[in-house]
Amino acid sequence: MATKTSTLVRAAVALCAVAAGGFAWAGLDTGAQASAVAPAGTPAPPPSAATPSATASTAPAAPSTPAATPTSTPSGPASQAPQTPTNKPTTTGTAAARPTSPAPGTAAAPQQTDRVSAVVPAPLPPAQLPANAAAAWKPIAPPNTRATTHDVRLNECAAVKGATTWQQQGYVSSFKTPAIQDTFTFTDATTAQQAYTDVLNAMNTCQQQSRALQSSAKISPDAQVATTATTAEGTAYSRQWTAVAGMSAPGPQTGHIYLVRHQNILAVLQFAVPADTPGANALTAADDRTTLTNLANQLNTAPAAAEQHS
């Protein structure tokens, strides 16, 4: 499957535009990277209207001759009646002409198939982002939500697969460094869990991948990736390295990645701090656990996209 990348690319914070629902940056990398984009300000379609129905666009033309009468159609005068709705039963074939109520104690069959409602929770309030006392995070623009049918690359190591809805929220700190929260919904909790597991597996090999990337770029391979905290629903990582230009801005920096899967929703919060940023505080394991807990609580505020009968 083709990988869809967000236009959020690295940020020196003063510049931010919304393009096709992604953030265009220049500076430090903080999240997914994007390809094909629409004009700025294009509203994101709701998940149910993301693409036209294939069956509707390819429906065959009506036949020029009447179709054969189904074998279940009542015969006799009733079958010759005009094809217009009526609330009155016909004189013959009455039982076939109108639905009957189910017998007592019999469950009625659902009239429509199960639907999935994808409700994306609001992103984290800036005050709940890591090290906010020093960073004084602020949102850059309102969150942008769109339907997606592609894999979404988060960084040089990991991508999210199988999501149906993708929301992005950008933030900027007092140090002029960015953060991004990507929130994804899936058709069910099983698919979300698989996507979460895939990202964990990718991050668990991110040190090797990052060093290989450094070697290819003729940079001394110094990348160190570590798990810094875990909770029942989440995992936090740090990546300290001399970044290779591309998805990341070049130079020594420490990236922080927070992953939380709650029911059918997966949230990914990322930000990077340059090594020479004055006033930036180092984060502890307790800080990272708090961020994971804040993310889980935020995801819990939205109804899960559980199956619902219409």
Side-chain angles (χ1 to χ4, degrees):
M1 177 179 291
T3 298
K4 185 174 183 179
T5 50
S6 82
T7 41
L8 182 78
V9 207
R10 292 115 350 232
V13 104
L15 299 178
C16 173
V18 178
F23 294 100
W25 296 85
L28 281 178
D29 175 44
T30 56
Q33 185 187 353
S35 58
V37 296
T42 303
S48 61
T51 54
S53 169
T55 55
S57 62
T58 59
S64 58
T65 58
T69 303
T71 56
S72 59
T73 302
S75 59
S79 63
Q80 307 300 321
Q83 301 301 306
T84 55
T86 177
N87 292 327
K88 297 180 181 180
T90 57
T91 56
T92 62
T94 302
R98 63 179 180 183
T100 58
S101 300
T106 303
Q111 297 302 306
Q112 298 185 25
T113 57
D114 290 340
R115 292 182 177 178
V116 173
S117 63
V119 180
V120 186
L124 271 181
Q128 292 187 11
L129 265 65
N132 183 63
W137 295 103
K138 295 180 179 180
I140 294 173
N144 189 288
T145 305
R146 78 227 75 157
T148 182
T149 57
H150 296 78
D151 298 345
V152 179
R153 179 155 294 282
L154 299 172
N155 50 42
E156 294 88 351
C157 302
V160 171
K161 302 177 181 179
T164 56
T165 306
W166 175 22
Q167 179 193 88
Q168 281 191 312
Q169 174 65 65
Y171 309 87
V172 59
S173 74
S174 60
F175 309 121
K176 307 303 181 185
T177 56
I180 184 72
Q181 180 178 332
D182 293 294
T183 306
F184 305 90
T185 65
F186 298 80
T187 54
D188 52 50
T190 300
T191 308
Q193 177 61 40
Q194 184 59 57
Y196 174 66
T197 300
D198 290 344
V199 175
L200 291 182
N201 290 338
M203 289 305 303
N204 288 339
T205 61
C206 190
Q207 178 169 300
Q208 298 93 302
Q209 294 182 56
S210 299
R211 290 188 177 190
L213 186 62
Q214 289 177 310
S215 296
S216 297
K218 309 302 181 184
I219 296 174
S220 178
D222 61 0
Q224 297 183 31
V225 179
T227 301
T228 59
T230 58
T231 62
E233 296 182 306
T235 307
Y237 293 89
S238 69
R239 177 172 61 169
Q240 184 175 354
W241 69 321
T242 302
V244 178
M247 287 195 74
S248 297
Q253 59 189 267
T254 300
H256 298 275
I257 303 97
Y258 303 88
L259 309 167
V260 172
R261 198 279 295 182
H262 177 77
Q263 296 182 357
N264 73 304
I265 306 173
L266 172 63
V268 184
L269 174 67
Q270 299 187 74
F271 68 97
V273 181
D276 59 353
T277 303
N281 297 331
L283 297 176
T284 67
D287 293 329
D288 286 349
R289 279 193 297 271
T290 296
T291 300
L292 292 174
T293 300
N294 289 341
L295 271 173
N297 290 340
Q298 191 71 10
L299 299 188
N300 194 36
T301 63
E307 290 185 347
Q308 300 175 0
H309 291 297
S310 299

